[in-house]
Amino acid sequence: MKTDPEIFIRANTSVMTPPHVPEIRLHLADEAHDLWLKTEEELAEIGLPPPFWAFAWAGGQGLARYILDNPDIVAGKRVLDFATGSGLVAIAAKMAGAAKVVAADIDPWTETAVRLNAGLNKVEVDFTGADLIGGKVETDILLAGDVFYDSDFASSIIPWFETLSRQGLAVLIGDPGRSYLPKENLEFCAVYQVPVTRALEDSEVKKTTVWRFTA
């Protein structure tokens, strides 16, 4: 890494509460920081992959809200938050009483973001940077917020989610109507109207649904 992640995160974010999950505090960028508007070349110069961790995406906010409002889903269980980003959903699961929470993301900057954000909320969240797709996972529940934004990524995770569901894992996703959300094997859980930033989305509110994968 060309830049120290903790120094960069503290300098380029502010501590904020996502509007749909005000119980949780996160290091987030806002429009004033323009992090998302930097070109790939600018990001590469500081050794920074696209900073998904710097924003509370609608799918994650909806899924975190659902977990906090229905803590029995995770209470006393092992939880994996896949493609964790800021760690929002992982933190919500721990606050809701999960026995153990692992935040997973292949972006190495995310590990620092999750550690800082977990500290803000005084919860303990483990982290793995391993590429888990297609493999076995030691967990009771897999949570995934806003992961169907890319065709190739979606095509790799959908069969994996379906396999895990057949194996008895609960696979819950939060999705605000992304293009590559599958149309089958989904069971409706809840729907929310989630405020988002116009810098990243095409509206100020995104209808966000929580689904459970079915075998």
Side-chain angles (χ1 to χ4, degrees), residues 8-9 77 97-98 117 131 133 137 150 154 179 187 191 193 204:
F8 183 87
I9 290 170
K77 296 177 181 175
N117 289 334
D131 184 354
I133 297 173
V137 289
D150 177 82
S179 298
E187 176 184 303
V191 65
Q193 300 294 328
E204 294 182 350

Side-chain angles (χ1 to χ4, degrees), residues 12-18 26-30 33 53-56 86 117:
N12 288 276
T13 63
S14 302
V15 175
M16 293 185 262
T17 58
L26 301 171
H27 290 274
L28 299 175
D30 59 22
H33 288 109
W53 48 264
F55 303 93
S86 67
N117 289 334

Side-chain angles (χ1 to χ4, degrees), residues 41-55:
E41 290 77 16
E42 288 175 311
L43 294 173
E45 282 200 10
I46 57 177
L48 175 66
F52 292 102
W53 48 264
F55 303 93

Side-chain angles (χ1 to χ4, degrees), residues 22-202:
E23 303 95 319
I24 294 177
R25 301 166 72 226
L26 301 171
H27 290 274
L28 299 175
D30 59 22
E31 288 88 341
H33 288 109
D34 287 338
L35 251 188
W36 197 251
L37 302 180
K38 289 184 182 294
T39 66
E40 288 189 19
E41 290 77 16
E42 288 175 311
L43 294 173
E45 282 200 10
I46 57 177
L48 175 66
F52 292 102
W53 48 264
F55 303 93
W57 299 88
Q61 287 197 58
L63 185 54
R65 179 76 272 149
Y66 182 69
I67 294 300
L68 288 170
D69 289 348
N70 300 275
D72 54 300
I73 293 171
V74 299
K77 296 177 181 175
R78 300 170 300 167
V79 174
L80 174 68
D81 179 26
F82 174 74
T84 188
S86 67
L88 168 60
V89 176
I91 292 165
K94 192 63 178 178
M95 291 174 67
K100 178 181 177 65
V101 178
V102 177
D105 206 296
I106 60 171
D107 176 359
W109 283 68
T110 295
E111 181 172 9
T112 302
V114 169
R115 173 173 56 80
L116 293 175
N117 289 334
L120 279 176
N121 295 280
K122 297 180 172 57
V123 296
E124 183 176 335
V125 173
D126 295 333
F127 181 87
T128 179
D131 184 354
L132 303 176
I133 297 173
K136 294 182 178 179
V137 289
E138 296 295 324
T139 192
D140 302 310
I141 300 172
L142 184 146
L143 304 176
D146 228 324
V147 293
F148 296 108
Y149 53 86
D150 177 82
S151 176
D152 290 342
F153 190 47
S155 66
S156 68
I157 62 176
I158 289 170
W160 181 47
F161 285 178
E162 291 173 346
T163 296
L164 294 177
S165 180
R166 285 194 296 270
Q167 292 172 349
L169 270 71
V171 178
L172 297 175
I173 62 172
D175 185 85
R178 301 298 183 206
S179 298
Y180 304 105
L181 175 74
K183 302 296 189 286
E184 300 176 338
N185 298 327
L186 294 177
E187 176 184 303
F188 173 85
C189 296
V191 65
Y192 303 99
Q193 300 294 328
V194 179
V196 292
T197 172
R198 284 301 294 258
L200 301 176
E201 304 284 4
D202 55 4

